[in-house]
Amino acid sequence: MSSEEDHIKETDTEARFEFKKEESSAFKTEKGLTEETIRVISEDKDEPEWMLERRLRALEQFQQMPMPTDWPGQPDLSDVDIDEIVPYIRPDIEARGGAEEWEDLPEEIQDTFDKLGIPEAEKNALSGVGAQYESEIVYQNMQEQWEEKGVIFMDMDKAVQEHPELVREYFMTKCVPPSDNKFAALHGAIWSGGSFVYVPEGVTVEMPIQAYFRMNSENMGQFEHTLIIAEENSEVHYIEGCSAPKYSAFNLHSGGVEVFVKEGAHVQYSTVQNWSKNTYNLNTKRAIVEKDGTMEWVSGSMGSKATMLYPCTILKGPGATDNHITIAFAGEGQDIDTGAKVYHNAPNTKSTIESKSISKDGGRTNYRGLVHIADGAEGSSTAVECDALMFDNESTSDTMPYMEIEESKVDVAHEATVGKIGDEDVFYLQSRGLDDDDAKQMIVSGFIEPITEELPIEYAVELNRLIELEMEGSLG
């Protein structure tokens, strides 16, 4: 292990994620979701009339849609009561839209992100950093060299004000409309914060851009929106981190992500989500990829009480490519339902899905995926690989792949394996000097290596450490 890895490993990961602060807000709405709530949020943000109108239309759609309950084997959402959620909490900072210097933030917010390692990461390995606390971005910064090339990285609320023409065109119109599902409609009504990324034609952002989303308060909902537009032949890597402390009452995370990959562009979207075990994590993420463009999703999901997350890619142009790499971990009382969706809507498109899941102490993981190859998408290919690892007889792991193939001249492959950690594997490693826990950790680290090798070293080490803590039962 390198000295850099040693330094990262030495940090107290459990302490970094489990701490909580006393709530300190400048403004917060009452619990529940009404038209008055939407108007109050929009007024507090000083939004243009067209955004308020979009929010109100989304609210109507949310109220008309039933709660999803009929998916085979889906997580139990019966405890999700929107009337018990505080949908909007504006943190108590002077600068709306985020401070430009960490030192300008209140001490308790500085301390939160210091513990999470965000300022240090910005110095060492990132092109830009955004940090959201509760419902709004509190810090946002982009290296000058990328701003000079026309790269835009700002919070979504600021983008509504400063780039209305782009936001009006792309925000929840073509990629994730509120009509997509009930939680997309909820998101469209009460979204707040998030990131806006615009990369001009031909620009390659050589270091990743990171946004970190932290829920601190009990009984709150976080609904950040991320909009990424990568123009022709551009390239960018966006990293998302999420966490929340544990409370007795439930929290709700329902983010929205829209990615537009133009001709020949390349976008990688990496996320490590470590929510607490009282959080319901119900997101909608989607990308539209044009001719010869490439979209990559790399995601790790753990910690929440229930997760329903299925990043979706629409391969719109010939030669478009999509790669999904996911890992899910479920411990006691957790139901982590993740997967991927890919629509091949043009010839010679390609997709790969690699899913890894780990369950222990009665936890449940499930891969739920859909690959659709449209009539006329000849020459396309897809390969799906699902591997599950279980620690005990009480845990479960399911695989629910759906293939809709309407074109005959295509290549389709699917492979799934489910297994338990074998006593002989543990015994072999113990014979090499490892104790039982370290042996199992080494097996798990090897199992998830295809995912961690796609992440920057800081995140790869962090993901391994989080899973190690989950195996110990240390995280909330």
Side-chain angles (χ1 to χ4, degrees), residues 198-228:
Y198 177 85
V199 187
E201 181 177 352
V203 174
T204 296
V205 183
E206 295 168 354
M207 294 189 295
I209 295 170
Q210 175 189 330
Y212 201 96
F213 302 99
R214 175 72 174 182
M215 276 196 291
N216 180 69
S217 298
E218 187 174 15
N219 259 145
M220 79 161 290
Q222 193 173 68
F223 307 95
E224 81 285 347
H225 191 91
T226 300
L227 175 57
I228 300 173

Side-chain angles (χ1 to χ4, degrees), residues 115-218:
K115 283 185 168 68
L116 294 168
I118 308 305
E120 193 64 28
E122 178 183 15
K123 294 174 191 174
N124 295 335
L126 299 170
S127 295
V129 168
Q132 179 158 331
Y133 191 82
E134 313 294 31
S135 297
E136 289 200 350
I137 292 291
V138 295
Y139 175 82
Q140 193 94 35
N141 192 32
M142 186 77 185
Q143 288 188 7
E144 188 174 332
Q145 61 174 314
W146 304 118
E147 291 181 341
E148 291 175 351
K149 292 184 178 181
V151 178
I152 301 170
F153 176 48
M154 63 175 55
D155 74 270
M156 272 304 308
D157 292 301
K158 191 174 182 180
V160 170
Q161 306 290 346
E162 297 190 7
H163 299 282
E165 70 290 342
L166 286 172
V167 177
R168 290 190 75 162
E169 179 181 357
Y170 289 99
F171 182 90
M172 300 194 79
T173 55
K174 309 171 183 180
C175 200
V176 181
S179 59
D180 186 78
N181 63 75
K182 188 173 183 67
F183 289 101
L186 174 67
H187 176 87
I190 53 178
W191 75 272
S192 182
S195 300
F196 176 78
V197 180
Y198 177 85
V199 187
E201 181 177 352
V203 174
T204 296
V205 183
E206 295 168 354
M207 294 189 295
I209 295 170
Q210 175 189 330
Y212 201 96
F213 302 99
R214 175 72 174 182
M215 276 196 291
N216 180 69
S217 298
E218 187 174 15

Side-chain angles (χ1 to χ4, degrees), residues 229-406:
I229 304 168
E231 296 287 7
E232 292 185 10
N233 300 310
S234 65
E235 186 169 345
V236 67
H237 181 187
Y238 179 89
I239 301 176
E240 170 191 82
C242 309
S243 67
K246 183 180 180 181
Y247 290 101
S248 58
F250 83 95
N251 282 10
L252 174 63
H253 177 253
S254 186
V257 175
E258 300 182 286
V259 184
F260 294 87
V261 186
K262 302 298 181 70
E263 183 174 339
H266 184 164
V267 176
Q268 179 172 331
Y269 194 107
S270 301
T271 179
V272 177
Q273 299 190 345
N274 178 45
W275 299 111
S276 57
K277 290 183 175 65
N278 62 294
T279 300
Y280 288 84
N281 184 30
L282 311 170
N283 294 325
T284 305
K285 299 183 176 184
R286 187 168 297 148
I288 296 177
V289 187
E290 298 185 8
K291 179 182 178 182
D292 296 326
T294 300
M295 181 68 204
E296 295 186 72
W297 301 94
V298 181
S299 60
S301 299
M302 64 197 73
S304 63
K305 180 177 179 62
T307 288
M308 295 178 71
L309 175 60
Y310 323 99
C312 174
T313 300
I314 300 172
L315 299 174
K316 181 181 177 182
T321 299
D322 175 66
N323 299 312
H324 280 80
I325 302 176
T326 68
I327 179 166
F329 187 103
E332 182 181 1
Q334 295 177 289
D335 192 342
I336 310 299
D337 201 282
T338 60
K341 297 180 182 180
V342 186
Y343 292 86
H344 293 254
N345 291 347
N348 302 309
T349 51
K350 180 181 179 181
S351 68
T352 61
I353 300 172
E354 184 174 3
S355 170
K356 302 278 188 178
S357 63
I358 303 166
S359 54
K360 71 182 291 283
D361 296 334
R364 176 182 180 269
T365 59
N366 180 44
Y367 167 80
R368 190 185 304 270
L370 169 66
V371 175
H372 175 90
I373 301 182
D375 183 23
E378 61 181 29
S380 296
S381 65
T382 184
V384 181
E385 181 180 347
C386 304
D387 299 319
L389 188 64
M390 293 184 293
F391 274 72
D392 47 63
N393 293 328
E394 291 73 37
S395 301
T396 59
S397 180
D398 298 315
T399 302
M400 299 180 181
Y402 296 88
M403 299 282 191
E404 298 175 349
I405 312 300
E406 298 175 353

Side-chain angles (χ1 to χ4, degrees), residues 404-424:
E404 298 175 349
I405 312 300
E406 298 175 353
E407 171 62 50
S408 59
K409 298 177 181 179
V410 296
D411 291 325
V412 177
H414 178 265
E415 177 183 347
T417 63
V418 178
K420 290 177 61 178
I421 290 183
D423 292 338
E424 64 278 6

Side-chain angles (χ1 to χ4, degrees), residues 22-57:
E22 291 295 322
E23 182 183 318
S24 177
S25 60
F27 177 79
K28 64 185 291 187
T29 60
E30 298 295 327
K31 289 182 179 180
L33 182 59
T34 64
E35 180 177 330
E36 179 61 24
T37 302
I38 303 304
R39 292 185 180 276
V40 166
I41 292 173
S42 187
E43 181 180 359
D44 189 64
K45 294 175 177 292
D46 194 25
E47 289 181 338
E49 187 68 21
W50 60 265
M51 180 54 78
L52 173 59
E53 291 174 356
R54 290 192 183 187
R55 288 182 181 275
L56 294 175
R57 286 198 299 269

